[in-house]
Amino acid sequence: MIPLNLPTFQIKLSGTPEKPTIFDILRRKYVALTPEEWVRQHFIHFLIEHKHYSSTLLANEVMLKVGNKSLRADSVLYDRNLHPRMIIEYKAPHIKITQKVFDQITVYNMLLHVDYLLVTNGLEHYICKINYQSKKYLFLKDIPYYENL
């Protein structure tokens, strides 16, 4: 896997050379090591270890239902009352962050109505804060510390 624009962490790998796995600290199990999962694990560790996000308030692979259709948000951050605050969408490092990626995360937000949307491919990170009253969003320069959300 390629180096990312994120700090390193204590990576736990397992599996076989043909089917490598990486330990997901939120799901507490080894999962298939794909390029997108490589980004997810780095980013989750970055949020917890460097931005003071609580692992107990983060969830991976959150199931959402729209009518008969099932969707899955990559990660969701909750507040202390367990209301969704942020949706995080991961892409593999070779996938460009485009409007299509933001359209995808916006669909999830129609259900969760969060304050922040974050998209990353491990090399580029974009976060925006949504103001529902003014119907506008503001792209932030940096990912905020949890206490500043």
Side-chain angles (χ1 to χ4, degrees), residues 24-85:
D24 181 333
I25 61 168
L26 300 183
R27 290 179 274 182
R28 294 183 177 97
K29 66 179 185 178
Y30 282 90
V31 297
L33 177 57
T34 63
E36 183 177 308
E37 194 63 44
W38 181 248
V39 172
R40 180 197 328 255
Q41 294 308 315
H42 274 77
F43 205 84
I44 288 294
H45 281 269
F46 165 69
L47 291 177
I48 293 168
E49 296 167 15
H50 298 274
K51 294 294 182 171
H52 311 142
Y53 289 48
S54 171
S55 63
T56 60
L57 298 176
L58 284 160
N60 284 338
E61 298 290 324
V62 176
M63 292 299 296
L64 306 170
K65 272 245 193 238
V66 180
N68 294 334
K69 189 173 183 179
S70 291
L71 303 171
R72 190 176 303 138
D74 287 340
S75 295
V76 175
L77 171 71
Y78 297 89
D79 65 18
R80 302 219 181 272
N81 296 315
L82 300 182
H83 296 112
R85 291 288 317 275

Side-chain angles (χ1 to χ4, degrees), residues 1-146:
M1 295 287 163
I2 70 166
L4 301 175
N5 185 15
L6 292 162
T8 59
F9 67 100
Q10 195 68 23
I11 301 168
K12 294 181 183 177
L13 298 174
S14 189
T16 66
E18 300 79 30
K19 292 190 178 195
T21 58
I22 188 167
F23 189 74
D24 181 333
I25 61 168
L26 300 183
R27 290 179 274 182
R28 294 183 177 97
K29 66 179 185 178
Y30 282 90
V31 297
L33 177 57
T34 63
E36 183 177 308
E37 194 63 44
W38 181 248
V39 172
R40 180 197 328 255
Q41 294 308 315
H42 274 77
F43 205 84
I44 288 294
H45 281 269
F46 165 69
L47 291 177
I48 293 168
E49 296 167 15
H50 298 274
K51 294 294 182 171
H52 311 142
Y53 289 48
S54 171
S55 63
T56 60
L57 298 176
L58 284 160
N60 284 338
E61 298 290 324
V62 176
M63 292 299 296
L64 306 170
K65 272 245 193 238
V66 180
N68 294 334
K69 189 173 183 179
S70 291
L71 303 171
R72 190 176 303 138
D74 287 340
S75 295
V76 175
L77 171 71
Y78 297 89
D79 65 18
R80 302 219 181 272
N81 296 315
L82 300 182
H83 296 112
R85 291 288 317 275
M86 180 186 296
I87 302 170
I88 307 167
E89 180 65 26
Y90 308 103
K91 295 298 178 191
H94 68 278
I95 303 291
K96 294 228 181 271
I97 305 298
T98 63
Q99 183 61 49
K100 186 176 177 183
V101 176
F102 280 97
D103 292 346
Q104 178 184 0
I105 199 170
T106 301
V107 170
Y108 303 153
N109 197 39
M110 284 192 242
L111 296 170
L112 297 178
H113 206 71
V114 299
D115 299 319
Y116 297 89
L117 300 176
L118 195 153
V119 177
T120 181
N121 62 5
L123 303 172
E124 297 178 292
H125 322 294
Y126 298 97
I127 184 167
C128 63
K129 180 172 177 37
I130 302 170
N131 184 324
Y132 290 98
Q133 292 173 331
S134 68
K135 298 182 180 176
K136 294 183 179 180
Y137 56 89
L138 172 68
F139 278 90
L140 306 178
K141 289 183 180 183
D142 293 311
I143 296 157
Y145 287 89
Y146 183 81

